[in-house]
Amino acid sequence: MSALIVIDVQNDFCPGGALAVPEGDLIVPGINALMVKADAVVLTQDWHPADHSSFASQHDSQEPYGLIEMPYGPQVLWPDHCVIGSDGAAFHRDLDTDRAEMVIRKGFRRSIDSYSAFFENDHKTPTGLEGYLRTRGISTLTMVGLATDFCVAYSAIDAAKLGFDVTVRLDLCRAIDLNGSLDTARQDMAQAGVTLG
Ligand SMILES: [Zn+2]
């Protein structure tokens, strides 16, 4: 059985949002069309407390998009985004969320970010999604969403490492592309055995 995993199609990642990904909203109709054909649909939702440690605003003399060292490794600092319960954290209004059987929220612990839908940024703390998919007998995943070079790539690489058969539909993703991060993400995904469609 297969599942469509829709990563972070939220207002703050769309044009006009706090961490807008160029053209982030343009993928919504294509994702809705794919949902109709999917055996199962899972949505992920970036979901941060207002004082989350990935926000540049929480660090003295740091600007958004800078890099700092956290106890779990390097971390890009972001503008405040996807604050729990805010409009920015809501799904894009045109996304057909009624199709989803599971919504997995991530990044809700103040001290650690979670790009991947499977593990937090320490690459160890599970979100629970692996267990959900396995207990439903799902072994094949198609991933779409935002942003290609961060949450989609991290999720796809983790899924491949866990043994899932993973395809990323690049036409239904959009990237932030910070200092060449899109090229790196594509190479890393291909190397991990992710099919780029
Ligand atoms: Zn975030």
Side-chain angles (χ1 to χ4, degrees), residues 79-95:
D80 293 17
H81 66 279
C82 296
V83 172
I84 292 172
S86 68
D87 208 47
F91 291 112
H92 187 283
R93 66 178 180 280
D94 294 333
L95 187 70

Side-chain angles (χ1 to χ4, degrees), residues 11-24 65 79 81 146 175-176:
N11 290 328
D12 270 343
F13 296 126
C14 291
L19 211 179
V21 180
E23 301 186 344
Y65 307 106
H81 66 279
L146 304 169
I176 296 172

Side-chain angles (χ1 to χ4, degrees), residues 13 46 48 54 81 113:
F13 296 126
D46 212 33
H48 299 310
S54 77
H81 66 279
D113 206 359

